[in-house]
Amino acid sequence: MHSPTQLSAWQALAEHQKEIDSVEMKSLFEKDKNRAEKYTTKAAGWTLDYAKNRVNEKTLALLIELVKEAGLETAIKGMFSGEHINNTEDRSVLHIALRASQAQESLMVDGVNVLAEVRDTLEQMGKFVQQLHSGEWRGYSDQRITDVVSIGIGGSYLGPKVVAEALTPYKKDDIKVHFVANIDGSDITGKLKQLNPETTVFVISSKTFGTLETLSNANAARDWFLANGGSQETVSKHFAAVSSNVEKAVAFGMAKENIFPMWDWVGGRYSLWSAIGLPVAIAVGMDNFYALLDGAHQMDEHFRTAPFEENIPVIMGALGVWYINFHNAQTHALIPYDHYLRAMPAHIQQLDMESNGKANLLNGDGVETDTGPIIWGGAGTNGQHAYHQLLHQGTRLVPVDFIAPLASHNPIKDHHAQLFANCLSQSQALMVGKTLEQAKQELRDAGATPEQVEAIAPHKVIKGNRPSNTLLTDKMTPETVGALIALYEHRTFVQGTIWGINSFDQWGVELGKVLGTDIFNRLVSDSDNSALDASTQALINAFKKAQA
Ligand code: F6P
């Protein structure tokens, strides 16, 4: 077990950072005409241009050395062969098995061929999707299904919702897919208002079938169904589940054949490729769901086999560590210039922050370095008129990933060229900035007086030298969207491996869940709260008073 700070490449990078700190990226471009070409790599339908980073050949060599010293090669082998790399839960981590090639016959884990289970489930999903779209599946009044509501939260919500939205151009017209997650009654109330119980199917997605929000919303959906013409006997025509807890799903009223399995070896935030992705398959059809899996598989193969020097998740993971640990970056922004990918930062936020928001090494010792950054972002160009100001002139260094398709699904006049131009100009502006002299000249050219020039010019200075990656693809398709998300999954794993942490557990989430239940019980009873802190007591009292 390593602490990254003990690795010789880590120490060399700390020294090297002092050398490169004052070097401007733009001067590196001037010196090396081949820089863009050198720092571009391709895989699975994506091109990564990472030339606008504070790196030279030495930096990159040291970063590759770092991932090697941290044992990434062994870690990748461990993941792909089903070793229990999630050590605190003693589990394999096999989202890659969910999208394995059809040519691979088996992947034995603890004596079971998991690929056989995966394929059976895909077949079961295929039947369900076909029955819904063909109209063979009927509601209790013998009508076709027109709406499917997915109820889940966290990994059982974000991934499927983001992918379904990303694949909007591929959506089937006959069935509308909706998502409900929040325990806030406004979420499900808003959705139910639009629906007819006779033509609606609910898919309850919960690996554990024990998550409070999901169960409460599932109960609310069933109550609504029963109060609006449905009956206990017909619940099975309108409710399906994705869960590893079959008993609880059956107790809810699901027919066994409408329960899609999940496995211990798939983490919630890595589960959209399993039956948790059923809402995606319903929205875009099973063929497109297979294409999504195929794209992710292509990225898996690239990650597993490409030399680290050309390996997109490895390069992006190592660059992230470079900024977090050697440049004190606290956050990392994802900015897709694609309307349909606008919610993607939220999914990658959960993926990365729930995975690498950790303070212990694999052996339980405390870490000595920062680990996962705050992941945030949103669609361009909208963000340019909101938070990009801080990216350009704020005091914090925020590395950015720009993500863009070369072609639009909705070409209108020059909209796409405008969108793309904005994407490129943002990464360019972050790097080149504006000097004091340029700012002064600009003001003089605009007719400012010398006094105005002196007063205003400093405010217009943009330091520049701010790093970014640009990820390009021909078009957002099921394959390229699959590959993109798989890329971020592996990037997360690369960083977790460098830091020597377990990216696949989430113990921190548990405390909030336990305390949430305790406080809920206090809100609905006359419990003695005097042992609680005064602030929590006062807040509980405020709620009780309002209810009374
Ligand atoms: O928020 C924590 C978490 O455990 C996530 O990891 C998971 O995706 C989510 O809750 C939902 O869990 P489940 O699918 O069991 O309802």
Side-chain angles (χ1 to χ4, degrees), residues 31-95:
K31 273 194 210 131
D32 184 356
K33 298 294 163 216
N34 294 324
R35 183 175 169 87
E37 198 186 321
K38 252 193 221 165
Y39 298 153
T40 295
T41 183
K42 293 175 192 248
W46 285 92
T47 299
L48 167 69
D49 173 349
Y50 60 102
K52 294 191 188 88
N53 277 289
R54 294 185 183 180
V55 294
N56 60 19
E57 280 175 23
K58 185 172 172 187
T59 329
L60 289 167
L62 286 173
L63 287 172
I64 297 301
E65 194 49 41
L66 179 68
V67 292
K68 285 185 180 163
E69 269 193 74
L72 183 62
E73 217 170 303
T74 313
I76 294 175
K77 280 196 187 123
M79 178 159 90
F80 279 78
S81 63
E83 276 175 30
H84 286 203
I85 60 171
N86 176 352
N87 66 330
T88 62
E89 295 180 295
D90 195 17
R91 288 177 184 170
S92 308
V93 174
L94 279 174
H95 41 284

Side-chain angles (χ1 to χ4, degrees), residues 153-156 206-208 211 268-269 350 354 506 509 513:
I153 199 162
S156 299
S206 177
K207 183 174 163 182
T208 54
T211 303
R269 53 198 176 271
Q350 189 216 7
E354 201 165 83
Q506 58 283 318
V509 178
K513 286 187 186 173

Side-chain angles (χ1 to χ4, degrees), residues 302-331:
H302 167 72
F303 178 54
R304 190 176 68 81
T305 61
F308 288 166
E309 291 78 1
E310 296 160 24
N311 197 311
I312 298 185
V314 173
I315 294 167
M316 288 179 66
L319 285 169
V321 168
W322 177 230
Y323 295 118
I324 295 159
N325 299 115
F326 300 91
H327 295 81
N328 198 26
Q330 304 289 310
T331 83

Side-chain angles (χ1 to χ4, degrees), residues 316-317 320-321 324 329-336 343-357 371-378 387 398-401 403 488 491-492 495 499:
M316 288 179 66
V321 168
I324 295 159
Q330 304 289 310
T331 83
H332 185 99
L334 254 66
I335 309 194
M344 182 200 169
H347 173 51
I348 306 304
Q349 182 178 67
Q350 189 216 7
L351 167 68
D352 198 293
M353 293 174 75
E354 201 165 83
S355 295
N356 286 344
T371 56
I374 294 154
I375 302 281
W376 63 283
Y387 43 75
V398 183
V400 180
D401 293 346
I403 302 165
Y488 278 93
R491 174 189 177 279
T492 301
Q495 297 193 334
W499 289 317

Side-chain angles (χ1 to χ4, degrees), residues 95-102 118 122 125 272-274 286-300 478-479 482-483 486:
H95 41 284
I96 51 102
L98 299 166
R99 55 226 191 187
S101 143
Q102 292 293 330
V118 167
L122 282 166
M125 288 168 67
L272 79 94
W273 323 99
S274 70
M286 206 58 199
D287 288 355
N288 284 320
F289 189 73
Y290 275 112
L292 178 87
L293 298 183
D294 185 47
H297 175 68
Q298 288 176 40
M299 187 55 77
D300 294 343
E479 286 92 345

Side-chain angles (χ1 to χ4, degrees), residues 224-468:
W224 171 83
F225 173 75
L226 295 175
N228 289 282
S231 64
Q232 204 59 55
E233 295 68 48
T234 54
V235 163
S236 64
K237 287 179 186 283
H238 292 267
F239 284 81
V242 184
S243 186
S244 57
N245 196 334
V246 176
E247 252 174 49
K248 275 195 171 180
V250 170
F252 181 92
M254 311 282 174
K256 258 197 172 153
E257 62 275 20
N258 299 339
I259 301 172
F260 297 81
M262 269 283 282
W263 306 276
D264 268 1
W265 42 263
V266 190
R269 53 198 176 271
Y270 298 89
S271 64
L272 79 94
W273 323 99
S274 70
I276 290 287
L278 190 57
V280 177
I282 296 167
V284 299
M286 206 58 199
D287 288 355
N288 284 320
F289 189 73
Y290 275 112
L292 178 87
L293 298 183
D294 185 47
H297 175 68
Q298 288 176 40
M299 187 55 77
D300 294 343
E301 282 306 280
H302 167 72
F303 178 54
R304 190 176 68 81
T305 61
F308 288 166
E309 291 78 1
E310 296 160 24
N311 197 311
I312 298 185
V314 173
I315 294 167
M316 288 179 66
L319 285 169
V321 168
W322 177 230
Y323 295 118
I324 295 159
N325 299 115
F326 300 91
H327 295 81
N328 198 26
Q330 304 289 310
T331 83
H332 185 99
L334 254 66
I335 309 194
Y337 277 70
D338 183 277
H339 178 68
Y340 296 134
L341 267 192
R342 62 195 181 279
M344 182 200 169
H347 173 51
I348 306 304
Q349 182 178 67
Q350 189 216 7
L351 167 68
D352 198 293
M353 293 174 75
E354 201 165 83
S355 295
N356 286 344
K358 307 285 165 65
N360 291 88
L361 298 172
L362 284 162
N363 66 2
D365 289 351
V367 296
E368 295 165 345
T369 59
D370 275 337
T371 56
I374 294 154
I375 302 281
W376 63 283
T381 62
N382 301 20
Q384 290 175 215
H385 304 278
Y387 43 75
H388 280 226
Q389 166 61 31
L390 183 144
L391 300 181
H392 292 291
Q393 282 190 308
T395 53
R396 293 163 211 279
L397 179 76
V398 183
V400 180
D401 293 346
F402 292 101
I403 302 165
L406 293 166
S408 168
H409 280 285
N410 299 294
I412 310 174
K413 287 192 184 157
D414 58 2
H415 276 228
H416 195 65
Q418 294 277 15
L419 177 74
F420 197 71
N422 273 280
C423 177
L424 299 197
S425 65
Q426 287 299 306
S427 67
Q428 188 190 27
L430 284 169
M431 179 176 75
V432 299
K434 189 184 284 180
T435 64
L436 183 61
E437 194 37 53
Q438 284 171 325
K440 284 184 176 173
Q441 194 54 47
E442 209 176 80
L443 286 161
R444 281 186 214 110
D445 292 347
T449 64
E451 293 74 30
Q452 285 170 328
V453 169
E454 288 310 311
I456 308 292
H459 296 279
K460 294 191 142 210
V461 172
I462 298 167
K463 281 193 184 148
N465 209 29
R466 305 222 158 169
S468 65

